Amino acid sequence: MQSYTVQPARSVRGEIRVPGDKSISHRSIMFGSIANGVTKVSGFLRGEDALATLEAFRAMGVQIDDDGETVTIVGKGLHGLEEPTDVLDCGNSGTSMRLLTGLLAGQSFFSVLSGDKYLRARPMKRVVGPLSRMGARIGGRAGGEKAPLAIQGSQLKGIEYDSPVSSAQVKSAIMLAGLYAEGETVVREPHLSRDHSERMLRAFGANVETFPGGVKVRGGAELTGRDIVVPGDISSAAFFMVAASIVPGAELLIKGVGVNPTRTGIIDILKGMGADLELLNERDETGEPVADIRVRHAQLKAMAISGEVVPRAIDEFPAICVAAALAEGTTVVSGAEELRVKETDRITAMADNLRRAGVTVVETPDGMEITGVPALKACAADSFGDHRIAMSMMVAGLVAQGETTISDVDCIATSFPGFRELLEGVVQR
């Protein structure tokens, strides 16, 4: 496991592009594979997570070609996938496993999903439970709570499901099963989670209807392949947005970032903390809003973070924690218990790392309280095998008083290959 040492930065300046959106990349492969005709994807994220999804569909007989610029998917239609001859390896990708569980539940064959040790420890009952109510036959460790998951495809029936958590993975898994179910499937959630599945499925021709608080899917509609442009991932841009906010004299322009309103919680939170951030050149690309984001250094102030903004920023909280560590006052995060079931328990992981850097952090069951400091101490940080923890602590190291070493940074490749090089390219020392 490789470690990485970060030196303090004098400034952060430049113009960059971040890799394609991970959520949209996953879905482009999935939906293109079960559509009729050809789907061409540009801007596809070639990180380990999205590639795990790509390889899973190749293993089910889908022709997928990648020339380095465009990924071309020759779809097999709603019922054209083939039974895989081996276990489908989802690697570290919770999106792959949870969405595939929903999609595979309605097939006419048997399949098994597994992944690395971190993924096999993550909770799966949140999708297995509602899918079982639809008639899915799914077995797994701990009563279906943990992978590997064994799925015997079966005839599904639509249900109405009130999700106790706002989770795009849970919602999307049920929606994908709903494509194969008899009748209508309805999913409601406490707050709106990211809506990439709804947008893209509609573009492919699925019978999907959104309403305040939820989504309806009617089974049986055939999908048609189409061209997709994947915007830059705001979750990846978040690390640079925070870096430019906390490093004195910084100014960054991040081009072509997806600013879907269900994903812009990071922007709302940073602006609420006093960040100097603006959206430029706002536009629409294949159904997704896109903009360039300019960020300059500013003194941040603490704030309370709760409610509907939490699911809109759920993947960005490790980076937000770093911003809070340098903000004046105490930032209080609540309603974010979902962070405890990510690649690692991100509340405990960030609390542990920030304490090492000299920050006072109090954990709560659904969040944390972070009291900002003028400067961070150099420390040995632990990624806990979580890509977002690793990248967040690399950003924190830019404003530490001395060298910060982060363990096990290989995990960054799951979502952001080239992150270190891109970061070092804009750092001035």
Side-chain angles (χ1 to χ4, degrees):
M1 294 186 291
Q2 186 181 9
S3 62
Y4 188 75
T5 299
V6 182
Q7 306 284 346
R10 180 171 53 84
S11 188
V12 174
R13 303 185 73 84
E15 181 179 305
I16 62 170
R17 285 186 180 271
V18 295
D21 188 283
K22 186 155 72 84
S23 296
I24 296 174
S25 294
H26 279 297
R27 287 159 174 80
S28 69
I29 298 293
M30 292 185 183
F31 303 167
S33 293
I34 60 173
N36 298 307
V38 174
T39 293
K40 293 187 176 182
V41 186
S42 58
F44 178 78
L45 171 65
R46 290 167 180 82
E48 291 175 357
D49 280 8
L51 291 173
T53 292
L54 186 153
E55 292 300 335
F57 281 91
R58 280 180 173 163
M60 290 185 283
V62 182
Q63 179 184 334
I64 305 176
D65 301 312
D66 182 2
D67 64 8
E69 292 291 330
T70 303
V71 175
T72 302
I73 307 156
V74 182
K76 295 181 72 75
L78 210 58
H79 300 282
L81 297 179
E82 300 170 10
E83 183 174 78
T85 59
D86 203 347
V87 173
L88 298 175
D89 183 4
C90 298
N92 186 246
S93 175
T95 300
S96 301
M97 181 167 285
R98 292 196 177 113
L99 270 62
L100 275 169
T101 300
L103 189 151
L104 293 171
Q107 305 301 321
S108 60
F109 54 72
F110 174 79
S111 56
V112 178
L113 297 171
S114 192
D116 67 12
K117 65 179 182 180
Y118 300 107
L119 185 56
R120 293 196 306 272
R122 294 180 67 180
M124 294 298 150
K125 197 74 172 182
R126 52 178 47 198
V127 295
V128 172
L131 292 174
S132 298
R133 283 181 49 195
M134 298 177 75
R137 296 161 62 191
I138 305 170
R141 291 189 304 119
E145 179 64 42
K146 303 285 179 65
L149 298 177
I151 305 165
Q152 178 60 62
S154 54
Q155 178 59 52
L156 306 178
K157 292 187 176 180
I159 61 169
E160 292 199 17
Y161 182 66
D162 293 309
S163 178
V165 296
S166 297
S167 167
Q169 291 180 1
V170 173
K171 176 175 64 176
S172 297
I174 299 169
M175 289 173 64
L176 283 169
L179 295 177
Y180 295 89
E182 181 183 310
E184 189 173 72
T185 299
V186 180
V187 185
R188 302 181 187 88
E189 51 187 354
H191 300 290
L192 180 63
S193 62
R194 61 188 62 176
D195 67 353
H196 300 303
S197 292
E198 295 93 307
R199 288 172 182 258
M200 195 181 295
L201 281 173
R202 271 198 300 264
F204 273 90
N207 192 334
V208 175
E209 178 186 341
T210 57
F211 60 90
V215 60
K216 299 177 183 177
V217 179
R218 183 163 288 281
E222 291 289 337
L223 310 185
T224 303
R226 56 162 300 159
D227 292 351
I228 296 172
V229 177
V230 182
D233 196 327
I234 194 168
S235 295
S236 296
F239 303 106
F240 292 90
M241 292 157 62
V242 170
S245 294
I246 65 176
V247 177
E251 180 174 347
L252 274 182
L253 180 66
I254 312 167
K255 303 198 73 176
V257 180
V259 288
N260 181 309
T262 63
R263 297 284 300 281
T264 51
I266 176 68
I267 292 175
D268 294 341
I269 289 168
L270 286 178
K271 283 186 171 180
M273 298 175 80
D276 184 352
L277 184 156
E278 59 181 326
L279 303 186
L280 307 171
N281 191 21
E282 296 185 60
R283 55 207 186 269
D284 186 274
E285 293 181 0
T286 58
E288 290 282 349
V290 177
D292 303 333
I293 303 175
R294 184 168 64 198
V295 190
R296 299 183 178 97
H297 171 256
Q299 177 57 59
L300 302 181
K301 298 184 183 301
M303 66 178 292
I305 304 171
S306 63
E308 62 83 27
V309 76
V310 172
R312 295 196 297 114
I314 198 67
D315 282 342
E316 294 74 60
F317 269 96
I320 291 166
C321 288
V322 174
L326 277 301
E328 293 179 1
T330 299
T331 294
V332 179
V333 178
S334 59
E337 58 273 13
E338 185 74 4
L339 292 172
R340 293 201 180 275
V341 292
K342 291 292 186 177
E343 283 80 341
T344 188
D345 181 335
R346 287 179 173 165
I347 292 173
T348 294
M350 285 307 298
D352 177 79
N353 280 316
L354 291 178
R355 288 185 190 118
R356 298 185 194 195
V359 182
T360 299
V361 183
V362 177
E363 282 192 51
T364 62
D366 65 342
M368 57 210 304
E369 299 175 5
I370 304 170
T371 301
V373 295
L376 301 179
K377 296 178 181 177
C379 70
D382 188 343
S383 76
F384 295 90
D386 187 319
H387 54 128
R388 300 202 193 281
I389 302 295
M391 289 185 278
S392 295
M393 293 312 296
M394 288 170 68
V395 170
L398 298 178
V399 291
Q401 296 174 320
E403 294 183 345
T404 298
T405 300
I406 302 97
S407 68
D408 188 12
V409 296
D410 295 343
C411 56
I412 292 172
T414 62
S415 69
F416 201 155
F419 170 76
R420 285 177 284 176
E421 293 79 7
L422 194 60
L423 183 64
E424 289 298 332
V426 295
V427 168
Q428 298 180 351
R429 291 193 168 90

